[in-house]
């Protein structure tokens, strides 16, 4: 089985899409994995893919860029070259390029199409390319329900939807992982204000939809009871022209809370260490979260998570750590949950849910099901063609009717009778001619 996957970029590699793990699983099971993205060939992520046995090709299919239309012909060429059985699209722009490339592609059989909806995309013309496929994979029940409502609203036809949760690599995020002494020493040397503090880690950047303003309520209500409470934000300490960032900085400075907040930057490769060293990981997005990958990573590490009871956070915490759920947008309930956790630590239990292995298994099952369906359709077409060809070359055999068979002896009798009549007539004619000839003159003899 040949599987081709189309991505705009590789930056959301293992956190959300499991690109590397899925490619490795395909190759390990004897399949061909082809990945097309905009990353350069000398990119470290590309080298990692190729080391695992994936075939990589670079095409610039950047999001919402008209220049991506220039990749229609190159993509058509790659499809004709590999003749993939399944093509998996991970974003909307590559989906449009693919549909346009398939219009004139000369392939043995049309590939089966799969798309993944990673968020609450608007159900409009731009998203239509993700929907015109054989199977749609959604990353949570929240996204599935949102998609079904949107399809009903647009009076769209029925779609095959398969919900597959994003999974965590339990080898990389083992339960109760502890940061190394070297990492802790280096961190305290860089951020000395973090030593001997209770860490509340906010694992996202600052933005209108991420809910950083709730951290002000937590600090304002709990700093008296917990003087060593400290907020760690995974964002830069300054961003030019960012209104939400500037507003948050001004409010914390006005309330004298800025000394209790540390910005450690967003481009880090040690997220696992921060999540495992945290006392609490905060999941406070104002808008419904579709994946909640950071909260899921923290749960697998055994770190308590407190978040709103909505969307993906609810789907993750309800079965794994229900005491971390908080009534939506209620500051009093949020502060109470943080206080209870700081007073008496209760950690999530080890779980085998939401794992990368489970996600890969379900995704491969989708691929194999579509591949089997494609082979069955091809066989059915071949059988139908063979039947038509046989019928075309067969000559019809005329069978005599029952009445014709009965009348056949009488026709033979008539034929014989005619022959006899002709013979008798000939004999009569001969005798007549003999009798009418002149008599022999005996006297002359």
């Amino acid at each position: 089985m040949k599987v081709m996957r189309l991505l705009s970029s590789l930056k959301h590699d293992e956190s959300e899409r499991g690109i590397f793990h899925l490619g490795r699983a395909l190759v390990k099971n004897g399949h061909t994995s082809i990945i097309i993205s905009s990353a350069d060939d000398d990119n470290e992520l590309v080298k990692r893919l190729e080391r695992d046995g994936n075939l990589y090709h670079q095409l610039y299919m950047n999001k919402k860029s008209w220049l991506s239309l220039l990749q229609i012909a190159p993509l058509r060429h790659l499809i004709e070259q590999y003749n993939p059985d399944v093509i998996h699209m991970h974003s909307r722009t590559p989906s449009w390029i693919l549909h346009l490339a398939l219009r004139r592609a000369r392939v043995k059989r049309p590939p089966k199409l799969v798309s993944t909806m990673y968020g609450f995309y608007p159900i409009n013309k731009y998203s239509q390319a993700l929907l015109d496929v054989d199977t749609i994979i959604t990353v949570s029940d929240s996204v599935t329900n949102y998609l079904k409502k949107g399809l009903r609203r647009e009076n769209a036809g029925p779609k095959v939807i398969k919900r597959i949760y994003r999974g965590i690599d339990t080898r990389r995020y083992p339960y109760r992982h502890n940061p190394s002494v070297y990492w802790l020493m280096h961190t305290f040397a860089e951020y000395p204000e973090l030593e001997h503090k209770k860490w509340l880690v906010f694992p996202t950047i600052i933005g209108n939809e991420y809910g950083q303003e709730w951290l002000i309520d937590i600090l304002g209500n709990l700093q008296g009871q917990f003087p060593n409470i400290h907020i760690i934000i995974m964002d830069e300490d300054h961003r030019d022209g960012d209104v939400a960032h500037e507003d948050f900085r001004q409010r914390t400075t006005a309330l004298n809370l800025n000394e209790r907040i540390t910005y450690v930057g967003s481009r880090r490769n040690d997220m696992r260490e921060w999540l495992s060293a945290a006392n609490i990981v905060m999941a406070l997005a104002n808008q419904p979260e579709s994946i909640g990958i950071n909260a899921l990573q923290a749960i697998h590490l055994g770190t308590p998570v407190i978040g709103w009871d909505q969307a993906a956070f609810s789907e993750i915490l309800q079965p794994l750590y229900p005491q971390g759920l908080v009534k939506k947008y209620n500051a009093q309930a949020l502060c109470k949950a943080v206080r209870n956790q700081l007073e008496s630590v209760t950690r999530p239990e080890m779980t085998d849910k939401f794992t990368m292995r489970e996600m890969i298994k379900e995704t491969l099952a989708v691929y194999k099901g579509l591949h089997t369906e494609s082979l069955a359709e091809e066989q059915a077409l071949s059988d139908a063609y063979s039947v038509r060809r046989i019928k075309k070359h067969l000559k019809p055999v005329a069978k005599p009717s029952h009445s014709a068979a009965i009348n056949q002896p009488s026709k033979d009798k008539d034929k014989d009778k005619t022959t006899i009549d002709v013979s008798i007539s000939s004999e009569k004619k001969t005798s007549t001619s003999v009798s009418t000839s002149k008599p022999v003159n005996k006297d002359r003899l």
Side-chain angles (χ1 to χ4, degrees):
M1 178 174 62
K2 296 180 181 179
V3 179
M4 179 180 287
R5 288 176 289 161
L6 308 181
L7 305 100
S8 294
S9 65
L10 294 175
K11 63 181 180 180
H12 298 298
D13 53 330
E14 53 191 336
S15 297
E16 296 180 359
R17 301 176 180 178
I19 297 301
F20 300 101
H21 298 81
L22 187 55
R24 189 181 303 119
L26 283 167
V27 174
K28 185 178 179 180
N29 285 275
H31 307 300
T32 301
S33 175
I34 307 148
I35 296 178
I36 299 175
S37 177
S38 60
D40 295 331
D41 292 339
D42 59 350
N43 189 295
E44 180 59 32
L45 299 178
V46 174
K47 294 179 180 178
R48 179 179 170 186
L49 286 170
E50 292 177 338
R51 283 196 302 267
D52 292 338
N54 298 276
L55 302 176
Y56 181 79
H57 293 274
Q58 181 186 26
L59 291 181
Y60 292 97
M61 296 183 291
N62 298 324
K63 296 180 179 180
K64 298 182 180 180
S65 173
W66 289 104
L67 295 176
S68 300
L69 295 175
L70 299 175
Q71 308 303 325
I72 295 176
L75 180 58
R76 182 186 298 123
H77 176 71
L78 290 174
I79 293 173
E80 293 174 347
Q81 175 184 347
Y82 289 106
N83 195 23
D85 301 297
V86 178
I87 299 181
H88 190 167
M89 300 161 283
H90 292 271
S91 56
R92 288 171 286 183
T93 299
S95 301
W96 276 111
I97 304 304
L98 173 65
H99 283 290
L100 295 173
L102 285 175
R103 288 184 177 180
R104 298 182 180 179
R106 292 171 292 182
V107 292
K108 182 179 179 181
R109 61 172 176 266
K112 291 292 184 179
L113 304 183
V114 182
S115 66
T116 298
M117 287 192 66
Y118 291 96
F120 300 96
Y121 303 151
I123 310 301
N124 53 20
K125 294 295 183 182
Y126 183 49
S127 301
Q128 190 63 37
L130 279 178
L131 306 179
D132 293 338
V133 295
D134 297 285
T135 299
I136 304 172
I137 296 176
T138 57
V139 295
S140 63
D141 288 333
S142 303
V143 176
T144 301
N145 296 332
Y146 168 82
L147 176 59
K148 289 181 177 179
K149 289 180 181 178
L151 293 175
R152 286 196 298 267
R153 184 175 61 251
E154 298 295 329
N155 295 321
K159 304 290 183 180
V160 178
I161 302 174
K162 173 67 175 178
R163 190 265 297 143
I164 301 178
Y165 284 117
R166 300 298 89 186
I168 301 300
D169 183 5
T170 53
R171 293 174 297 180
R172 178 169 173 77
Y173 294 88
Y175 185 71
R176 297 304 300 269
H177 168 77
N178 292 316
S180 66
V181 175
Y182 171 80
W183 184 86
L184 289 172
M185 295 291 291
H186 184 270
T187 300
F188 291 146
E190 187 175 2
Y191 308 104
E193 69 274 14
L194 297 181
E195 194 168 3
H196 307 300
K197 298 294 178 62
K198 296 287 186 181
W199 293 5
L200 272 63
V201 173
F202 188 72
T204 60
I205 63 173
I206 291 176
N208 293 326
E209 67 271 26
Y210 296 115
Q212 67 278 347
E213 64 272 11
W214 298 102
L215 301 174
I216 297 176
D217 293 290
I218 294 174
L219 290 176
N221 286 280
L222 299 181
Q223 63 177 342
Q225 186 177 355
F226 302 97
N228 60 347
I229 191 173
H230 200 92
I231 301 292
I232 298 173
I233 298 179
M234 296 293 175
D235 198 359
E236 315 301 329
D237 57 356
H238 178 74
R239 289 209 307 264
D240 292 330
D242 192 309
V243 177
H245 196 288
E246 185 63 27
D247 177 69
F248 181 75
R249 290 297 300 268
Q250 290 181 1
R251 291 177 63 186
T252 55
T253 301
L255 296 171
N256 294 322
L257 299 176
N258 53 332
E259 294 183 356
R260 294 183 177 274
I261 300 175
T262 296
Y263 301 86
V264 298
S266 58
R267 298 181 180 179
R268 306 192 65 96
N269 57 4
D270 58 350
M271 176 65 79
R272 179 186 65 177
E273 316 306 322
W274 288 104
L275 294 177
S276 60
N279 294 92
I280 304 175
V281 171
M282 310 304 299
L284 305 176
N286 291 325
Q287 297 181 2
E289 183 71 18
S290 60
I291 298 178
I293 195 69
N294 296 130
L296 191 54
Q297 291 170 344
I299 290 291
H300 276 275
L301 290 169
T303 304
V305 176
I306 293 179
W308 302 125
D309 188 5
Q310 66 172 353
F313 293 149
S314 180
E315 295 181 47
I316 294 171
L317 295 178
Q318 189 61 49
L320 303 182
Y321 192 65
Q323 55 267 48
L325 289 173
V326 181
K327 185 178 179 181
K328 287 190 299 183
Y329 315 137
N330 188 311
Q332 184 177 358
L334 177 62
C335 293
K336 181 180 178 180
V338 174
R339 182 188 302 111
N340 292 340
Q341 181 59 41
L342 292 176
E343 289 177 347
S344 58
V345 179
T346 58
R347 292 185 176 274
E349 297 181 356
M350 182 183 292
T351 179
D352 58 353
K353 298 180 179 179
F354 301 95
T355 62
M356 184 68 67
R357 180 178 299 178
E358 184 179 5
M359 184 194 80
I360 291 174
K361 179 181 177 182
E362 294 181 8
T363 305
L364 289 179
V366 171
Y367 292 165
K368 291 178 181 178
L370 290 174
H371 181 49
T372 302
E373 181 182 336
S374 179
L375 292 177
E377 291 175 355
E378 184 181 20
Q379 185 62 42
L381 289 175
S382 177
D383 293 343
Y385 175 76
S386 299
V387 170
R388 289 197 304 269
R389 189 173 181 181
I390 291 172
K391 288 183 177 179
K392 181 179 179 181
H393 290 283
L394 283 178
K395 294 182 179 180
V397 179
K399 296 182 179 179
S401 62
H402 182 65
S403 58
I406 294 175
N407 297 330
Q408 186 65 33
S410 62
K411 290 182 178 180
D412 294 340
K413 289 181 180 180
D414 294 339
K415 183 178 180 181
D416 295 340
K417 184 177 180 181
T418 305
T419 305
I420 296 171
D421 292 341
V422 171
S423 301
I424 296 172
S425 174
S426 300
E427 292 177 359
K428 290 183 177 179
K429 185 176 181 182
T430 304
S431 62
T432 306
S433 60
V434 172
S435 60
T436 54
S437 61
K438 286 186 178 182
V440 179
N441 190 353
K442 295 180 179 181
D443 297 332
R444 295 183 60 183
L445 294 176

